[in-house]
Amino acid sequence: MSKENPITLGVLISGSGTNLQAIIDAIDAGKLDARVGVVVSSNPSAYGLTRAENAGIEHVAMAVEDYADPIKADQTIVKILQDHGVDYVAMAGYMRMVGEPLLQAFPNRIINLHPALLPSFPGAHGIADAFEHGVKVTGVTVHFANADMDAGPIIAQRTVLVEESDTVDTLEARIHETEHIVYPEVLQLIAEGRVKVEGRKVHIS
Amino acid sequence: MSKENPITLGVLISGSGTNLQAIIDAIDAGKLDARVGVVVSSNPSAYGLTRAENAGIEHVAMAVEDYADPIKADQTIVKILQDHGVDYVAMAGYMRMVGEPLLQAFPNRIINLHPALLPSFPGAHGIADAFEHGVKVTGVTVHFANADMDAGPIIAQRTVLVEESDTVDTLEARIHETEHIVYPEVLQLIAEGRVKVEGRKVHIS
């Protein structure tokens, strides 16, 4: 796609939104032919909402009680995303599962980021789990979301070496740095129409 | 250790013995300060036995019936290894589990090689499993054997990128190439006394 006709992203967050910021910065730098149509947060006090506000991006905060019925919450989010013309959904530290309403509304169009080399170390503690396991290589995985947590088709993986001097904090810092590079790069591949899913395999042309 | 006082390796094989050959070649090239005291095969027709013979290395073939009682088989192997002055045991395509007699006789002294980035894709089909899962990065893991299959403390990992044009065969070829480089390198670190195990973590000084 050309910059005259960029894709519209919806970004789902729950926290500080550093990957949202990386997306915003990549767009501003001309490295990502996209616009962020709307940011949806599962947490009304997420700092990522302030980042959206500062960037002049529309944003919506869900409340904890909105998730009492997860299906209804998903339906609400689908409507918000569709109302903002969203083509692709980028999860960026979104701490809720995406359920059937979202997956059906955006089939193979919801992208997630995981701070480990999946299928190793899925779940909420991918960095610490890898460190405690004593791996010598970990990294970052960008994948399509599906009904199973952290198990969708893998679009890209980047490695981060565990150094002898690492603590979980220094490792975490390098993994986040890597995320902020690889996530906008993968979204750009998608914006260029170069990413195709075939079963479990993702082909990049 | 100096070349005047190299470590003595026992190598366990079941098949073609390409990693045994990589060890022999590294020793011949002066890159690995070790000698192979004995090769033990779980399979009497393993080509690795011919490689041992060609290199003038003592070798012993176990028979299928020797494993009818796996504990006794392990005890036999321990005796063979000890009779040949073995310091460290290198598994090289050995398709049997190492049981308690071996683990107790050589605590944190049995090294294994796995053709994937553990803990992803343990088991007998690590390369094909990774390929079918659609990972973008896989690799090789060198680890100490323990009672759980492919789960001991990790000494080293090297990555192999999965290319868009790869078949499982081309991927397998690159993984084996990587194995033949990394395994002698790790054994040399051990020969130099630079490898220390602490719980699940392996420290390299």
Side-chain angles (χ1 to χ4, degrees), chain B residues 1-12:
Chain B
M1 289 207 188
S2 70
K3 293 190 188 192
E4 288 69 43
N5 191 16
I7 58 169
T8 297
L9 297 173
V11 182
L12 307 185

Side-chain angles (χ1 to χ4, degrees), chain B residues 13-16 39-53 59-67 94-96:
Chain B
I13 65 169
S14 299
S16 66
V39 170
V40 179
S41 176
S42 66
N43 167 9
S45 61
Y47 181 67
L49 290 166
T50 303
R51 294 183 194 270
E53 175 76 23
H59 46 91
V60 179
M62 306 283 287
V64 171
E65 52 270 28
D66 293 330
Y67 287 92
Y94 183 66
M95 300 305 282
R96 298 273 181 177

Side-chain angles (χ1 to χ4, degrees), chain A residues 117-121 131-137 154-157 159 164 200-204, chain B residues 117-121 131-137 154-157 159 164 200-204:
Chain A
L117 293 177
L118 293 172
S120 283
F121 311 115
F131 187 78
E132 293 307 326
H133 193 82
V135 295
K136 299 298 188 183
V137 179
I154 293 169
I155 311 170
Q157 295 185 301
T159 57
E164 188 60 38
R200 271 215 64 80
K201 306 266 182 84
V202 179
H203 298 288
I204 314 284
Chain B
L117 293 177
L118 293 172
S120 283
F121 310 113
F131 186 78
E132 294 307 326
H133 193 81
V135 295
K136 300 297 186 182
V137 179
I154 293 169
I155 311 169
Q157 294 183 302
T159 56
E164 188 61 37
R200 273 214 64 80
K201 304 268 181 83
V202 179
H203 299 288
I204 314 286

